[in-house]
Amino acid sequence: MTTRTDRPQRADARRNVEAILDAATATLARDPDASVNDIAKAAGVGRVTLYGHFENRGVLVAAVVARAMQDSEVSLRGVDLSGDPAAALVRLIEATWQVTLRYGALVVAAEKSLPAADLAAAHDEPRERVERLLGRGRDAGRFRADLPVSWLVTTMHTVTHAAATSVYAGELAADQGARAIAATMLGLLTPPGEVVPDLDALRAAG
Amino acid sequence: MTTRTDRPQRADARRNVEAILDAATATLARDPDASVNDIAKAAGVGRVTLYGHFENRGVLVAAVVARAMQDSEVSLRGVDLSGDPAAALVRLIEATWQVTLRYGALVVAAEKSLPAADLAAAHDEPRERVERLLGRGRDAGRFRADLPVSWLVTTMHTVTHAAATSVYAGELAADQGARAIAATMLGLLTPPGEVVPDLDALRAAG
């Protein structure tokens, strides 16, 4: 008969975990080098409690990233990827950028503290979405077919992260990020011998 | 009167440092996760000797990268950057790729263990070279002027590193790296409304 005492404890534990994840997300988004102490303080829990739920900083960052990715997935699944593949790509880039801004420097925190393999796994679903769209664009002759699709997907991922890092470094204005990524990708994906589409014309047409 | 005993000791120390740097370069190029023990063994020195010269693994990796960058600089300074900026860019990418292949997975080792700021500083000279060439290409109307030059330089750096990482991950053949980077950058740099140049035609003309 441990139910009566266990239930409130479990509810407390769940609340603590949520509070820690919320605080870690907000704290790391402001400062990717934030310590476990900073996060515990922001969450209003002790270090012992925090370490009871998350063995070390890496485990905590991984959990924060996992939750952020889930939330991002919900946003990205809602993007209309039908019609002209180039216009669809611009819509996907704009939605991806909103997600990137929401989590701010979390991307930087993740890149600094997570093994590359974990980061790659966290990007499986976005990668597949981009891969399908780029494949459709190639079949339609809109995107280049002289380079492997996997390489084009890598450039999309890489250019997006470079934009996030550039904003964090103060080299690019946050509201210019989506434009820089979209303009860059439209050029990068245009087949040799074809004309690079103008981003504004494409937006107006879409 | 310590000269007689000091000189051979200094010569020994220099030889040890060179042997350690050579061994570290070769070992890390094969396995970016190679330990200090692996490197000491390959250099034929004891751990104590190695730590006498390099305080920790990070300091050693930093020294290896610094030497590799110096050597790379000598190769890259020899590239002819005159004439058509697009053809010059392809020559610079091909020379950069040869340097990247020579140091193999060293790039991965560096990215895993060096702070981002140190890596960025190590790229100052290559960045300036690329910036001058891209600026000249913009002035000539050959490269796009609708995005900041600093962003274009970042994409060049990012795409090159992505190719090195893709080769290391087995996703791209090593001999396809320069082609992938050059084709990608030619598209990326083409002004909207202009035709993306064909890499082979450009090479034949240059």
Side-chain angles (χ1 to χ4, degrees):
Chain A
M1 294 294 292
T2 54
T3 333
R4 265 181 210 165
T5 54
D6 267 20
R7 267 191 195 146
Q9 278 177 6
R10 278 190 212 138
D12 273 1
R14 270 199 303 273
R15 268 197 302 273
N16 276 340
V17 167
E18 284 303 306
I20 292 165
L21 287 175
D22 287 345
T25 302
T27 308
L28 291 169
R30 271 195 310 272
D31 174 13
D33 295 316
S35 69
V36 167
N37 270 350
D38 296 335
I39 293 166
K41 228 176 265 177
V45 303
R47 278 168 50 102
V48 174
T49 304
L50 191 150
Y51 281 117
H53 295 296
F54 303 97
E55 201 181 325
N56 55 50
R57 190 177 182 278
V59 171
L60 175 57
V61 172
V64 167
V65 169
R67 208 177 61 154
M69 292 301 299
Q70 266 180 349
D71 176 61
S72 306
E73 267 309 300
V74 174
S75 300
L76 297 183
R77 261 185 222 129
V79 178
D80 172 20
L81 296 183
S82 63
D84 174 19
L89 184 75
V90 172
R91 287 193 294 272
L92 181 59
I93 288 169
E94 284 168 350
T96 303
W97 187 248
Q98 287 311 312
V99 164
T100 306
L101 283 187
R102 196 182 311 153
Y103 292 111
L106 198 55
V107 172
V108 179
E111 286 182 337
K112 277 188 177 182
S113 71
L114 294 188
D118 287 10
L119 272 180
H123 287 86
D124 277 354
E125 213 164 327
R127 269 193 85 93
E128 279 162 27
R129 183 180 295 113
V130 169
E131 197 169 333
R132 279 193 302 273
L133 178 56
L134 296 187
R136 192 165 74 77
R138 279 161 69 112
D139 294 346
R142 191 77 157 119
F143 298 150
R144 65 193 311 161
D146 62 331
L147 291 169
V149 173
S150 62
W151 168 249
L152 298 178
V153 175
T154 294
T155 61
M156 169 86 170
H157 173 78
T158 290
V159 164
T160 304
H161 273 243
T165 307
S166 295
V167 166
Y168 178 68
E171 290 164 10
L172 192 69
D175 59 0
Q176 286 302 302
R179 185 179 183 81
I181 300 167
T184 300
M185 289 308 300
L186 286 178
L188 192 160
L189 291 170
T190 301
E194 300 288 329
V195 172
V196 174
D198 180 77
L199 179 57
D200 294 317
L202 201 67
R203 267 184 180 145
Chain B
M1 291 297 291
T2 53
T3 334
R4 265 181 210 164
T5 52
D6 265 20
R7 267 190 195 147
Q9 278 178 4
R10 278 189 211 139
D12 272 3
R14 268 199 303 273
R15 268 197 302 273
N16 276 341
V17 167
E18 283 304 306
I20 292 165
L21 287 175
D22 287 344
T25 302
T27 308
L28 291 170
R30 273 195 308 272
D31 174 13
D33 295 315
S35 68
V36 167
N37 271 349
D38 296 336
I39 293 166
K41 228 177 266 177
V45 302
R47 279 168 49 102
V48 174
T49 303
L50 191 149
Y51 281 117
H53 295 295
F54 303 98
E55 203 180 325
N56 55 50
R57 190 177 181 278
V59 171
L60 176 56
V61 172
V64 167
V65 169
R67 207 176 63 154
M69 292 302 298
Q70 265 180 350
D71 176 62
S72 306
E73 267 308 300
V74 173
S75 300
L76 296 183
R77 260 184 222 129
V79 178
D80 172 20
L81 297 183
S82 64
D84 173 18
L89 184 74
V90 172
R91 288 193 294 272
L92 180 58
I93 288 170
E94 285 168 350
T96 303
W97 186 248
Q98 287 311 312
V99 163
T100 306
L101 284 186
R102 195 183 311 153
Y103 292 111
L106 198 55
V107 172
V108 178
E111 286 182 337
K112 277 186 177 182
S113 72
L114 294 188
D118 288 8
L119 273 178
H123 286 85
D124 277 354
E125 212 164 327
R127 269 192 86 94
E128 279 163 27
R129 184 181 294 112
V130 170
E131 197 170 332
R132 277 193 303 273
L133 179 56
L134 296 186
R136 192 165 75 78
R138 279 160 71 112
D139 293 347
R142 191 76 157 118
F143 298 149
R144 65 194 311 159
D146 62 330
L147 292 170
V149 173
S150 62
W151 168 250
L152 298 178
V153 175
T154 294
T155 62
M156 169 86 170
H157 173 76
T158 290
V159 164
T160 304
H161 272 243
T165 307
S166 295
V167 166
Y168 179 67
E171 289 163 12
L172 191 70
D175 60 0
Q176 286 302 302
R179 185 178 185 80
I181 300 167
T184 300
M185 289 308 300
L186 286 178
L188 191 160
L189 292 170
T190 301
E194 299 289 329
V195 172
V196 173
D198 180 77
L199 179 57
D200 295 318
L202 201 66
R203 268 184 180 145

